[in-house]
Amino acid sequence: MEAYELTVTQALERLQRGELSCEEWTRACLDRARAVDGRVRAFVQLDEDGALASAREADAARKAGAQAPLLGAPIAIKDNMHIKGRKTTCSSKMLENFTAPFDATVVAKLRDAGAVFLGKTNLDEFAMGSSTENSAFFTTRNPWNLDYVPGGSSGGSAASVAAYETPFALGSDTGGSIRQPAAFCGIYGLKPTYGRVSRYGLVAFGSSLDQIGPLARNVEDIALLLNVISGKDPRDSTSSDIPAPDFTQALGRGVKGLRLGIPKEYFVEGVDPEVKSAVHQAIDRLCAQGAEAVEVSLPHTEYAISVYYICCTAEASSNLARYDGAQYGHSAAGSENIVELFTRTRSEAFGKEVKRRIMLGTYVLSAGFYDAYYLKALKVRTLLQRDFERAFEQCDVIVTPPVPTPAFRAGERIDDPLQMYLGDIFTISVNLAGVPALCCPAGFNAAGLPLSVQLIAPIFSEERLIQTASVHQELWRDKNIRALQI
Ligand code: GLN
């Protein structure tokens, strides 16, 4: 087995036993990235020198007896989180030359834990999209089939993990951006409870929805990474002081007596039959291990897309107002006055989808329409939250398809935004309700594309997701790296 194929858990054991060095591990990932990333295009920046230098430091620290949970572990970071002194582009022309003046809290925590930053991964511009085709730079490809999208917006992070360029990565999830690409790329992806992880240093999109989370090829590594990034941060007032447990303790707890809620609204017409059958199979296998399935209802699901695309565009229009050419990023040269500066800067440097969202968001917040759209959406958002509260009176974990279809072909939906938005139907309610959810690989369809199952738990119950996924994982070990088409 090559070092780049190791899980974090396996590699850390080898480091401990002296069978592997941090430098060898990082070098193996960098070599792998150099070999495959020309086709996958997951990274917008690969920091080879910086990564090797940190790996060597980690080796020295290990020799000196230092202990840190991820000492020497290579990781990729979505390019909407700050690493001090490196560019944060958000895959936008607006921030193409913006250098981060500070570390995001998650990055600072990873640094303290000894992680090695391999580089920054591609995304849909400002995290708006579901295919990574909205990147201003290039489209990332799905490592299982390069004609297909890896999902989005954390498509670069998901593809880099799936292609074995890194053992794990960080993504952000406003409406599914960790879970949907994890599903399309056949890996694990967890969106924590809103408030579990600090958003300080994450470029804001929809601040009441955004959450940072881990992507990895197995659930142990998800738990390890979640341990490091969770917790209260005085720099983010929306981070919660509810203590974060050691999530690895939930591994191997079993599912005996666990009630799995199956929401009927998620198994409707239009959901791909292979997607449905993978989820049913996952449920059956968990039930064979002692879980029990109960039907539940999330009756307001049909309103989720409308509510999400009102709330997130409203918040985006406000958050993105700061990119005016005067403070950050791109600034249109030769403008005669301030209005011209704002107009030209924003016209030149924002892509089509970002402009669409700013316009939609400005419209739903405008006097006269605020009550009819934004306020109404907030009310329905509360109903969606209550749907989950009621459902969790009858079950412990909700099990659903994460996306109605497997990955789609590059180019297939990019000119039809509504079609693109509709694909988010099963991930966005989770953000609107603030609950945590984990997508787990569940085999492949006839065309060889990954299938996935989404587990959803009540707020601050990520342990239940990890507990359930660790049983699930044992039952689905059916394909490996040799099947990758890169
Ligand atoms: N696909 C969704 C959107 O376009 C979700 C994006 C995200 O979670 N960042 O808004």
Side-chain angles (χ1 to χ4, degrees):
M1 199 190 233
E2 304 286 342
Y4 64 78
E5 293 177 65
L6 297 169
T7 69
V8 176
T9 314
Q10 287 167 337
L12 290 175
E13 280 164 16
R14 289 191 190 193
L15 290 177
Q16 201 63 38
R17 293 198 297 262
E19 296 164 13
L20 177 75
S21 73
C22 305
E23 186 176 347
E24 284 164 348
W25 189 13
T26 291
R27 208 177 271 285
C29 294
L30 291 170
D31 287 349
R32 171 75 179 169
R34 226 178 297 108
V36 302
D37 209 55
R39 277 158 286 155
V40 178
R41 310 215 68 188
F43 282 94
V44 290
Q45 312 163 46
L46 198 60
D47 179 18
E48 304 204 26
D49 296 342
L52 285 171
S54 324
R56 278 184 217 114
E57 271 172 39
D59 277 325
R62 276 194 177 268
K63 264 202 197 105
Q67 299 274 341
L70 297 177
L71 189 53
I75 189 165
I77 307 289
K78 183 176 181 179
D79 202 16
N80 61 351
M81 292 170 227
H82 296 327
I83 300 182
K84 187 177 177 180
R86 308 220 70 86
K87 280 186 188 168
T88 303
T89 69
C90 288
S91 291
S92 175
K93 285 200 189 118
M94 187 62 88
L95 293 177
E96 202 167 359
N97 296 309
F98 174 74
T99 300
F102 60 90
D103 273 341
T105 294
V106 288
V107 166
K109 284 183 177 230
L110 281 166
R111 217 185 267 291
D112 289 346
V116 169
F117 301 108
L118 292 175
K120 309 292 287 290
T121 56
N122 198 20
L123 61 148
D124 287 295
E125 185 177 3
F126 284 101
M128 299 175 188
S130 311
S131 65
T132 321
E133 291 166 294
N134 294 335
S135 166
F137 307 143
F138 47 81
T139 300
T140 301
R141 296 297 172 137
N142 192 314
W144 296 99
N145 186 329
L146 297 171
D147 294 334
Y148 286 73
V149 300
S153 63
S154 314
S157 285
S160 68
V161 173
Y164 290 78
E165 297 171 65
T166 177
F168 56 8
L170 283 186
S172 66
D173 191 314
T174 306
S177 276
I178 291 172
R179 291 161 289 148
Q180 183 256 24
F184 281 10
C185 290
I187 60 168
Y188 289 81
L190 186 147
K191 185 206 82 82
T193 307
Y194 184 80
R196 178 64 98 187
V197 177
S198 166
R199 292 180 295 111
Y200 180 73
L202 165 73
V203 177
F205 163 14
S207 305
S208 76
L209 303 154
D210 298 339
Q211 195 61 195
I212 295 171
L215 296 113
R217 292 188 299 268
N218 65 86
V219 66
E220 291 82 7
D221 294 353
I222 292 280
L224 276 180
L225 186 46
L226 188 61
N227 272 356
V228 169
I229 62 174
S230 295
K232 175 76 187 162
D233 177 8
R235 291 192 165 108
D236 173 3
S237 61
T238 64
S239 67
S240 167
D241 49 19
I242 292 179
D246 174 358
F247 294 103
T248 60
Q249 295 295 313
L251 296 161
R253 261 185 207 161
V255 290
K256 225 181 198 91
L258 199 82
R259 294 165 306 163
L260 306 177
I262 323 298
K264 52 177 187 279
E265 294 81 1
Y266 283 58
F267 292 85
V268 289
E269 217 178 299
V271 181
D272 180 286
E274 287 179 298
V275 167
K276 267 191 215 169
S277 99
V279 178
H280 284 305
Q281 249 192 78
I283 294 166
D284 290 347
R285 292 186 192 185
L286 288 169
C287 289
Q289 300 299 311
E292 136 199 9
V294 289
E295 189 177 285
V296 295
S297 175
L298 297 166
H300 295 91
T301 301
E302 62 174 303
Y303 304 108
I305 299 253
S306 322
V307 172
Y308 172 80
Y309 278 95
I310 290 171
C311 292
C312 87
T313 56
E315 293 182 23
S317 73
S318 162
N319 275 325
L320 272 62
R322 72 190 72 179
Y323 305 106
D324 54 12
Q327 306 179 69
Y328 312 92
H330 180 72
S331 185
S335 303
E336 300 271 304
N337 56 52
I338 194 83
V339 174
E340 197 187 325
L341 174 70
F342 286 7
T343 313
R344 287 193 34 223
T345 295
R346 292 166 71 81
S347 307
E348 283 169 16
F350 283 140
K352 229 172 156 180
E353 182 61 26
V354 173
K355 285 180 185 158
R356 180 164 25 240
R357 300 218 185 180
I358 291 173
M359 286 190 281
L360 270 172
T362 308
Y363 178 78
V364 299
L365 290 176
S366 58
F369 294 107
Y370 183 95
D371 288 0
Y373 290 107
Y374 186 63
L375 199 61
K376 184 70 138 294
L378 289 186
K379 289 178 181 168
V380 184
R381 182 173 181 176
T382 303
L383 296 178
L384 280 155
Q385 263 158 5
R386 287 205 191 128
D387 277 2
F388 279 101
E389 282 161 19
R390 293 222 174 94
F392 284 126
E393 286 165 9
Q394 295 160 49
C395 68
D396 304 302
V397 172
I398 293 174
V399 187
T400 77
V403 200
T405 64
F408 47 90
R409 277 180 190 278
E412 196 179 286
R413 295 191 189 168
I414 194 63
D415 296 321
D416 188 350
L418 192 57
Q419 195 59 29
M420 194 75 96
Y421 297 171
L422 289 174
D424 297 334
I425 176 81
F426 298 149
T427 47
I428 50 187
S429 302
V430 162
N431 302 76
L432 290 165
V435 293
L438 170 59
C439 283
C440 313
F444 292 79
N445 73 357
L449 294 165
L451 297 168
S452 176
V453 54
Q454 173 172 241
L455 309 173
I456 310 170
I459 54 166
F460 298 107
S461 305
E462 288 87 353
E463 282 171 289
R464 271 188 221 169
L465 301 175
I466 288 164
Q467 171 189 357
T468 313
S470 82
V471 175
H472 167 89
Q473 177 174 266
E474 289 312 308
L475 309 170
W476 287 89
R477 292 193 186 277
D478 57 356
K479 265 219 179 162
N480 63 29
I481 185 171
R482 318 279 165 226
L484 283 172
Q485 307 218 330
I486 42 172

